[in-house]
Amino acid sequence: MAAAAAASSLGHVTSASIARAAGLDSDPATLQRFILTEQCKHPAASGDFSLLMSSIALACKATAVAVKKAGIAGLYGIEGVVNVQGEDQKKLDVIANDNFVNALLSSTKVAMLISEELPEPIVVPADRAGKYIVAFDPLDGSSNIECNVSIGSIFAIYERTTDLKTACDVEKDGLQAGTKLVAAGYCMYGAATVMVLCMGASVIASTLDPSLGEFIITNKDLRLPTPGKRIYSINEGNLKSMPAGVQAFVAECKDGAKPYSLRYVGSMVADVHRTLCYGGIFLYPATASSKSGKLRLLYEANPMAFLMEHAGGSASSGSCRILEVEPKGIHCRCPVIMGSPRDVDNVLAKMAAAGEC
Ligand code: AHM
Ligand code: MG
């Protein structure tokens, strides 16, 4: 940088400035470079995590391509199978799941995979297992696929707790609370393909440059703005079956001279991404018919709560931090209240006043 500055002050034209003038970058700040730089800060690091992340980036890129081609390639519609959640699997759900499973298994760094689309975990035989466990929702927001609204992939990365020489134990290794997460992130297939990732420190955002096929870092420290925009995001059609405290919060949002704005995409990735960028609150609380809400703990609520907390926000189940909820099964659900602390605290106070938490 200093050399380039000195050269330009002398009127020289550097090769980097020629490239920049042509709209090119001869030194792109890729996500992979960022991860390798982080790896170098830990001399004892094996490089396994960097390889694991490369495989996740590959799965996301392959899924981004499938999402973009879906209309033309006839990939809309259902596959004809009902998944473990009782939902119709869409063709793109199946393709995205294959992308993740294939990329992760071939990384050789995983011991167990947990997918929203698979009834049981994939346990890698001990002689081929790595140390990581990845729980993922390969394509979240399935109801928005056909109408070309933003959808995404969500992933959560744990380290196994059992002996590396044995096959993973589904309960001990797979049912770890979110406080044990090593890293988590999502990839949003929106107007641009954006990956947001946290490896335990800051939350970093990167954007897929389609000409390079690489994620380029666009924000090394994504923080929720304080106090954040006054936005609430909830499927309000179900409001009457939600806790009284949530109903009171929504009523307050609409009350007074300066009401909150309502924004609800119906894709968790998009609704959480907006909340991280602008502030406000996203809720998918318990309802009368679903006491644990709709969203799955391991591969939806936990990874998003991890990102939210590391970006300066809060994430609660209504009873405790989402990250402290003990998983009861790989597909268990959890109520979600996350976003700006101002708003999350307000909801929790109203739930407490109603004797609901
Ligand atoms: P999915 O994993 O089958 O796509 O379901 C999860 C999605 C979330 O992305 C979103 O927040 C929620 O379901 C929307 O549900 P609803 O249609 O009830 O509002
Ligand atoms: Mg989902």
Side-chain angles (χ1 to χ4, degrees):
M1 278 301 274
S8 81
S9 73
L10 292 170
H12 294 301
V13 181
T14 63
S15 58
S17 64
I18 294 171
R20 262 196 301 279
L24 304 169
D25 186 353
S26 55
D27 192 21
T30 63
L31 175 62
Q32 190 174 25
R33 178 203 283 188
F34 181 87
I35 292 167
L36 288 172
T37 307
E38 290 301 301
Q39 181 191 319
C40 291
K41 292 181 188 164
H42 306 277
S46 60
D48 285 6
F49 182 81
S50 303
L51 285 170
L52 179 75
M53 274 312 304
S54 290
S55 72
I56 290 178
L58 174 64
C60 292
K61 287 188 257 186
T63 305
V65 170
V67 168
K68 284 216 170 355
K69 279 191 184 166
I72 302 162
L75 298 178
Y76 289 151
I78 58 172
E79 174 74 7
V81 177
V82 173
N83 72 9
V84 66
Q85 330 282 343
E87 302 155 345
D88 282 327
Q89 269 185 328
K90 308 270 172 91
K91 289 177 190 167
L92 269 183
D93 284 327
V94 176
I95 291 169
N97 186 62
D98 288 350
N99 288 340
F100 272 78
V101 170
N102 292 332
L104 286 165
L105 288 182
S106 57
S107 77
T108 71
K109 303 304 169 203
V110 292
M112 181 161 61
L113 301 180
I114 295 168
S115 167
E116 175 180 335
E117 300 302 334
L118 300 173
E120 300 297 334
I122 297 177
V123 179
V124 180
D127 58 338
R128 280 181 275 140
K131 67 178 174 202
Y132 292 107
I133 292 154
V134 185
F136 53 94
D137 180 353
L139 203 58
D140 181 64
S142 303
S143 67
N144 281 323
I145 288 177
E146 279 86 2
C147 60
N148 204 14
V149 167
S150 296
I151 47 183
S153 304
I154 313 173
F155 53 90
I157 304 174
Y158 296 86
E159 266 187 49
R160 61 179 298 181
T161 57
T162 50
D163 186 353
L164 278 176
K165 294 188 206 80
T166 63
C168 258
D169 181 292
V170 174
E171 279 202 12
K172 285 192 190 127
D173 293 316
L175 301 186
Q176 299 185 57
T179 47
K180 299 283 192 284
L181 276 165
V182 172
Y186 61 80
C187 185
M188 183 173 77
Y189 313 110
T193 298
V194 173
M195 186 183 294
V196 175
L197 170 70
C198 177
M199 298 180 285
S202 58
V203 175
I204 54 169
S206 57
T207 302
L208 184 64
D209 178 339
S211 57
L212 273 182
E214 289 283 351
F215 286 98
I216 306 295
I217 300 289
T218 41
N219 190 343
K220 280 188 183 165
D221 189 14
L222 180 60
R223 306 283 305 165
L224 249 83
T226 311
K229 288 206 171 161
R230 293 155 57 87
I231 295 174
Y232 73 107
S233 183
I234 188 169
N235 186 341
E236 210 176 323
N238 297 329
L239 191 63
K240 281 194 176 149
S241 71
M242 291 178 187
V246 173
Q247 295 188 34
F249 173 77
V250 170
E252 189 178 286
C253 285
K254 299 178 183 186
D255 205 27
K258 213 176 156 214
Y260 273 48
S261 294
L262 166 63
R263 299 280 184 272
Y264 188 71
V265 178
S267 291
M268 187 190 199
V269 170
D271 284 316
V272 169
H273 187 69
R274 183 200 52 252
T275 307
L276 282 170
C277 293
Y278 296 165
I281 186 166
F282 167 74
L283 307 98
Y284 209 112
T287 59
S289 60
S290 181
K291 300 282 178 231
S292 300
K294 174 183 182 186
L295 301 174
R296 276 51 60 112
L297 177 61
L298 290 195
Y299 40 79
E300 292 176 327
N302 263 343
M304 294 310 205
F306 187 78
L307 292 166
M308 195 55 76
E309 287 199 1
H310 281 88
S314 304
S316 172
S317 70
S319 313
C320 63
R321 283 168 72 210
I322 288 174
L323 296 178
E324 287 173 354
V325 175
E326 290 296 333
K328 298 269 185 296
I330 61 168
H331 296 296
C332 67
R333 296 169 196 260
C334 173
V336 168
I337 303 164
M338 62 170 65
S340 299
R342 166 200 64 195
D343 299 322
V344 174
D345 290 349
N346 192 1
V347 173
L348 295 179
K350 288 184 164 45
M351 288 178 73
E356 294 168 330
C357 69

